[in-house]
Amino acid sequence: MSNRISNNMGADDTDNTSLHSLPLGPEELPYVHKVGVPPKPKLLKEITDTLKETFLPDDPLRPFKKQPRRRKLVLGLQTVFPILEWGRDYNLSKFKGDLIAGLTIASLCIPQDIGYSKLAHLDPQFGLYSSFIPPLIYAFMGSSRDIAIGPVAVVSLLLGTLLQDEIDPVKNKLEYQRLAFTATFFAGVTQATLGFFRLGFLIDFLSHAAIVGFMAGAAITIALQQLKGLLGIKKFTTKTDIISVMKSVFGAVHHGWNWQTILIGVSFLVFLLFAKYIGKKNRKLFWIPAIAPLLSVIISTFFVYITHAERDGVQIVRHIKQGVNPSSVDKIYFTGDYLVKGFRIGVVAGMIALTEAVAIGRTFASMKDYQIDGNKEMVALGTMNIVGSMTSCYVATGSFSRSAVNYMAGCCSAVSNIVMSAVVLLTLVVITPLFYYTPNAILASIIISAVLGLIDLDAVVLIWKIDKFDFVACMGAFFGVVFASVEVGLLIAVSISFAKILLQVTRPRTAALGRIPRTSVYRNLQQYPEATRVPGVLIIRVDSAIYFSNSNYIKERILRWILDEEETLAEHKQPGIQSLVLDMSPVTDIDTSGIQALEELYRSLQKKSIQLNLANPGQVVHDKLHASEFANLLGEDKIFLRVADAIVMCAPKLEQV
């Protein structure tokens, strides 16, 4: 590379400088530092560093370094069971906060669990089972202080929809339950595997916009499904799309609606929504919306009991099996056709449950300014679902509504989950017979009031303002869930998320640069209209790594930049382009296809009598340019440290700033 540059260009790019109005002679160009060629690292070390950065970016083995064997054993146990670490500093003051929080979320979870189990087409006790064992496991293995574990509406609906496509939950009840346990088992295996092999980054491929749309669509679908209980309809469609549901609702208007049920359901729905409104207006009154569902259950159950409204067509819960979770190890399908079906359903449900739990955990961790280990969370969630599948539970995860109540109630640790679990156990052993006369309309109103919080209109508006493509992903997932099915909406969400990634990779942005007045800084001409072009020189910045997937596009886009620029210059009767400067600073990597594309670009430019110059290639890129001999083909003196250096050496004439 040339080692000469103007005295005026010796400062950093951010310095204000003035350029000579005339080209400088060779004797006036002092020494400038060349672009560094790093020493070639050893292959084994390069592979090791790459794998470490990919799978162990947080360096989890750092605490074990230079520690005695006994200390390493203790640290290992604390890694698997974080309760052994934070439990040492636990005290009575923290327990008071956890006790209040645990009792509060228990009052919320009990009626929700009974309702959510109906979404999964399972008996009510299975929802309670899933809020007993899984929270206990998570309390010992989870790293979040605020997350509350149990069944959630979206996963319950998804699981119920996918399961009933395989087995009729009414005609083949036992086989349906077995498939549910099998799916839960493989959901746990999926989650634990992702965490153990530190593959948690895979869930990030489902974009935030797609999740917002999917959750909103699922909330609408769940709310529509509850019209069956809210209106007292006995014969209802098994489909989840809005058209089928509304046909079923209005088709039963003259002979299927029950006015007593509607009165109970709508009255308490208004009460629940008003309680949530009070809780939002005054955060100190968070306990009102938290206890409102249980209070609604108690009042409505008592009312139905004394009036015997079930005789007038009001549907009630009736029998809930009493007692603790029975073992279900022998009910999991480990062979046969249902093994594959359970695995497929479990993977989908496990990924959605994982995405929701990790998002909730990170949200509350940032609010309290502490860190959670995503991979530990995955292992904890996976383990609790594996154990849960063996104790008659279905897929459990972090619940946003319960976690929010847990947070506002002043929880200090995962002990609040233990308290909640103990209350659920007491309910299973003693209280379940009292739910016999609970009207289904109350469960429907509780679920509707809960899922409305999943519709985040503020997030949708923000997505529209920030990124229109993200908004398309959001709306695609939303309409897919509402007008087709949950699995179709999920497929659309994943497809659009991947489509966006592919589009960004295969069609990266390029920009023409100009010089900011009174500086040696070169920036995008569209962003800075006041920037000036350099006569005879076209400066292009490539805003992406150059891979096989985009190398041909980048080459053709650069040639199109040149063609457009030459047409513009010809219209204004100005001299044509003599040099092309590629700003390589954003190019983080390049592969063999990228090198080949640069070689083809170089030859195309030679035919046009245009000199190719590179500015500021990074270490990895520069190393590969030398390894491929492209640096020798181009010439070392055509690779510059800065765009400003390249301009001084190749511009035929520079204007005075």
Side-chain angles (χ1 to χ4, degrees), residues 281-442:
K281 280 292 183 180
N282 189 343
R283 292 174 63 89
K284 293 182 179 179
L285 300 177
F286 68 89
W287 54 272
I288 293 179
I291 67 168
L294 187 59
L295 191 62
S296 300
V297 168
I298 294 171
I299 295 173
S300 63
T301 301
F302 178 73
F303 174 77
V304 172
Y305 174 73
I306 62 174
T307 61
H308 284 286
E310 78 279 3
R311 297 173 183 173
D312 296 320
V314 175
Q315 299 176 37
I316 57 177
V317 172
R318 298 190 184 277
H319 177 68
I320 298 180
K321 187 177 179 181
Q322 193 172 3
V324 297
N325 304 33
S327 174
S328 56
V329 177
D330 58 335
K331 296 180 181 178
I332 299 174
Y333 288 111
F334 289 110
T335 57
D337 294 338
Y338 287 133
L339 169 64
V340 178
K341 294 176 181 178
F343 174 78
R344 177 177 57 82
I345 296 170
V347 169
V348 175
M351 291 292 283
I352 294 299
L354 196 59
T355 302
E356 186 171 357
V358 172
I360 292 169
R362 287 173 178 170
T363 299
F364 288 102
S366 64
M367 292 170 67
K368 283 191 175 180
D369 194 24
Y370 68 91
Q371 298 294 322
I372 65 168
D373 188 325
N375 292 293
K376 284 183 184 178
E377 286 293 287
M378 294 174 197
V379 172
L381 293 165
T383 303
M384 78 180 191
N385 278 316
I386 291 173
V387 176
S389 69
M390 300 177 181
T391 52
S392 300
C393 304
Y394 73 94
V395 181
T397 187
S399 166
F400 186 82
S401 58
R402 289 180 223 176
S403 299
V405 170
N406 197 31
Y407 170 81
M408 290 186 288
C411 71
C412 300
S413 69
V415 171
S416 60
N417 275 293
I418 298 177
V419 174
M420 179 190 71
S421 180
V423 175
V424 172
L425 173 61
L426 180 66
T427 302
L428 284 167
V429 174
V430 179
I431 306 176
T432 48
L434 300 180
F435 290 105
Y436 185 90
Y437 287 98
T438 300
N440 288 339
I442 284 299

Side-chain angles (χ1 to χ4, degrees), residues 454-467:
L454 297 176
I455 303 174
D456 194 344
L457 293 178
D458 292 337
V460 174
V461 173
L462 186 62
I463 290 169
W464 167 258
K465 291 179 179 178
I466 294 175
D467 192 320

Side-chain angles (χ1 to χ4, degrees), residues 567-625:
E567 288 179 353
T568 302
L569 293 174
E571 289 176 3
H572 294 82
K573 297 180 180 180
Q574 295 180 356
I577 299 173
Q578 299 178 25
S579 296
L580 171 68
V581 177
L582 285 186
D583 182 3
M584 304 284 283
S585 52
V587 181
T588 56
D589 201 358
I590 192 169
D591 64 2
T592 52
S593 297
I595 298 290
Q596 185 178 4
L598 287 181
E599 292 176 355
E600 293 172 1
L601 177 64
Y602 172 74
R603 295 188 181 96
S604 297
L605 294 178
Q606 275 191 322
K607 294 177 182 178
K608 297 176 180 289
S609 299
I610 298 175
Q611 176 60 54
L612 176 62
N613 304 273
L614 305 182
N616 194 25
Q619 174 183 338
V620 174
V621 174
H622 201 194
D623 192 27
K624 292 182 178 180
L625 292 178

Side-chain angles (χ1 to χ4, degrees), residues 106-178:
S107 68
L108 176 63
C109 85
I110 291 170
Q112 282 186 349
D113 290 344
I114 297 173
Y116 291 160
S117 61
K118 289 184 175 292
L119 284 176
H121 305 299
L122 293 166
D123 292 335
Q125 66 267 18
F126 291 106
L128 295 172
Y129 292 161
S130 302
S131 281
F132 170 42
I133 296 296
L136 284 178
I137 304 296
Y138 181 85
F140 284 86
M141 299 186 67
S143 58
S144 173
R145 305 173 194 168
D146 303 280
I147 196 169
I149 298 296
V152 297
V154 174
V155 177
S156 299
L157 175 66
L158 177 64
L159 195 66
T161 304
L162 296 177
L163 289 173
Q164 76 172 358
D165 288 342
E166 305 296 340
I167 301 177
D168 190 310
V170 178
K171 296 179 181 179
N172 300 294
K173 187 174 181 180
L174 294 179
E175 286 81 1
Y176 183 89
Q177 291 175 4
R178 292 188 64 184

Side-chain angles (χ1 to χ4, degrees), residues 370-550:
Y370 68 91
Q371 298 294 322
I372 65 168
D373 188 325
N375 292 293
K376 284 183 184 178
E377 286 293 287
M378 294 174 197
V379 172
L381 293 165
T383 303
M384 78 180 191
N385 278 316
I386 291 173
V387 176
S389 69
M390 300 177 181
T391 52
S392 300
C393 304
Y394 73 94
V395 181
T397 187
S399 166
F400 186 82
S401 58
R402 289 180 223 176
S403 299
V405 170
N406 197 31
Y407 170 81
M408 290 186 288
C411 71
C412 300
S413 69
V415 171
S416 60
N417 275 293
I418 298 177
V419 174
M420 179 190 71
S421 180
V423 175
V424 172
L425 173 61
L426 180 66
T427 302
L428 284 167
V429 174
V430 179
I431 306 176
T432 48
L434 300 180
F435 290 105
Y436 185 90
Y437 287 98
T438 300
N440 288 339
I442 284 299
L443 302 179
S445 62
I446 290 171
I447 292 174
I448 291 173
S449 66
V451 298
L452 289 179
L454 297 176
I455 303 174
D456 194 344
L457 293 178
D458 292 337
V460 174
V461 173
L462 186 62
I463 290 169
W464 167 258
K465 291 179 179 178
I466 294 175
D467 192 320
K468 300 302 184 288
F469 196 98
D470 269 352
F471 182 77
V472 172
C474 180
M475 290 296 99
F478 174 79
F479 288 118
V481 173
V482 172
F483 286 98
S485 64
V486 176
E487 56 265 42
V488 170
L490 181 59
L491 179 62
I492 291 174
V494 173
S495 299
I496 295 179
S497 297
F498 272 99
K500 182 180 180 182
I501 295 171
L502 290 175
L503 189 63
Q504 290 176 336
V505 170
T506 59
R507 295 293 183 268
R509 288 188 175 92
T510 56
L513 307 185
R515 179 166 54 82
I516 302 297
R518 296 182 297 278
T519 74
S520 61
V521 177
Y522 291 81
R523 292 294 181 265
N524 190 339
L525 286 165
Q526 288 187 341
Q527 184 178 2
Y528 298 94
E530 71 275 14
T532 58
R533 297 176 183 271
V534 179
V537 180
L538 178 62
I539 311 167
I540 300 296
R541 188 183 68 220
V542 180
D543 294 335
S544 167
I546 305 177
Y547 292 129
F548 66 92
S549 58
N550 62 21

